[in-house]
Amino acid sequence: SQTIHQWPATLVQPVGSPLSLECTVEGTSNPNLYWYRQAAGRGLQLLFYSVGIGQISSEVPQNLSASRPQDRQFILSSKKLLLSDSGFYLCAWSVTDSSYNEQFFGPGTRLTVL
Amino acid sequence: AQKVTQAQTEISVVEKEDVTLDCVYETRDTTYYLFWYKQPPSGELVFLIRRNSFDEQNEISGRYSWNFQKSTSSFNFTITASQVVDSAVYFCALSAYTQGGSEKLVFGKGTKLTVNP
C-alpha cells in the first residue's frame, strides 16, 4: 500500500531563517506531487505541483520554492522566511493516469515563524 | 474560475443527531469531480469520497451519505447518528486544472463539526 511521509511534524523558525520541508511517498511510481498551505481558518491553497523529476510548477507567487530531486521526494524550501509563511503545510500525491484521481495527503508540518 | 463555498463555518450537535454539511460549487467545466475530505484534530486530511459530474446517484457508506444535485450545484454530506469521533473539519473540493494543465483541487474553507457527548 502507499504511504506518504512528511517531516518535521512541527517547526518554529525565526524570521529570515532558511526552511526545508521534506515529503516522500512509498508504494507508487511517478506520482503527481503537491504542496498545499493551510492558513488558520482558511482552506487549502495549492503552492506547487510536480508531474515528474525536476518538473515544478508554481500556482502562486511567493517566498517559497520547491524541488523534486527523486521520483518520490518533494521538498519545499525558502532562503529567508517571512512571518506570513506561518501555516500548516501539507504534501499530497495522486496517481497519474487518464482519470481525475483523488489526492492523498501526508500528516503535515506545522510551521511557526516568529 | 472554479469556486467552492461551504457556508457553515462551524456546527455543533449532540451525539446521535443527524447533521448535514453543505457544499456549493461553481465551475464552467462540463466534466468535473467533487470530493470530501475529513481533517481530524491531528491535521491529516482523510479522503472520503470522489464523485464525477455524470453520476448524480446518491451514495451511502455506513453512516455517511452524499447528495449530489447538479441543478443546484450542490454536493451535501450527511452524517447519520453522529458520534464524537466525527468531530473534525470537513472540506469539500472541486477538480480543476492548473495553467500548465495539471490536475489540482479547489477547496472550500471547511466546516468545523463538533459532536458533543
Side-chain angles (χ1 to χ4, degrees), chain A residues 34 38 49 59 100 103, chain B residues 37 39 50 96 98 103-104:
Chain A
Y34 308 84
Q38 183 180 21
Y49 62 95
E59 268 292 280
Y100 198 109
Q103 295 178 17
Chain B
Y37 284 85
Q39 187 178 40
R50 177 186 73 161
T98 66
E103 300 172 355
K104 71 172 186 179

Side-chain angles (χ1 to χ4, degrees), chain A residues 34 36 38 42-44 46 49 51 59 88 90 94 99-107, chain B residues 33 35 37 39 43-45 47 50 91 95-98 100 102-105 107-109:
Chain A
Y34 308 84
Y36 288 87
Q38 183 180 21
R42 303 182 66 178
L44 280 76
L46 178 65
Y49 62 95
V51 299
E59 268 292 280
F88 190 52
L90 287 153
S94 67
S99 176
Y100 198 109
N101 295 287
E102 58 271 22
Q103 295 178 17
F104 297 97
F105 287 79
Chain B
Y33 292 80
F35 304 80
Y37 284 85
Q39 187 178 40
E44 181 175 349
L45 265 74
F47 166 72
R50 177 186 73 161
F91 289 95
S95 62
Y97 291 91
T98 66
S102 296
E103 300 172 355
K104 71 172 186 179
L105 294 177
F107 285 85
K109 293 188 177 181

Side-chain angles (χ1 to χ4, degrees), chain B:
Chain B
Q2 291 87 352
K3 183 180 179 181
V4 175
T5 301
Q6 294 180 256
Q8 305 150 309
T9 305
E10 294 192 38
I11 300 176
S12 183
V13 300
V14 177
E15 208 168 18
K16 298 185 182 178
E17 284 185 24
D18 298 347
V19 57
T20 295
L21 310 181
D22 297 333
C23 173
V24 174
Y25 62 92
E26 296 175 28
T27 182
R28 292 184 180 178
D29 294 342
T30 53
T31 301
Y32 51 90
Y33 292 80
L34 293 159
F35 304 80
W36 275 95
Y37 284 85
K38 174 182 179 180
Q39 187 178 40
S42 61
E44 181 175 349
L45 265 74
V46 178
F47 166 72
L48 296 178
I49 190 172
R50 177 186 73 161
R51 173 56 56 84
N52 75 53
S53 53
F54 293 108
D55 182 3
E56 289 194 68
Q57 285 191 351
N58 291 335
E59 182 157 342
I60 298 174
S61 176
R63 297 184 296 107
Y64 295 171
S65 62
W66 289 269
N67 184 341
F68 176 32
Q69 292 196 344
K70 215 168 177 178
S71 59
T72 57
S73 297
S74 65
F75 186 42
N76 297 337
F77 173 31
T78 297
I79 302 174
T80 304
S82 60
Q83 300 176 3
V84 173
V85 294
D86 295 326
S87 296
V89 180
Y90 290 86
F91 289 95
C92 181
L94 170 67
S95 62
Y97 291 91
T98 66
Q99 289 184 352
S102 296
E103 300 172 355
K104 71 172 186 179
L105 294 177
V106 174
F107 285 85
K109 293 188 177 181
T111 297
K112 182 179 181 181
L113 173 65
T114 301
V115 181
N116 298 299

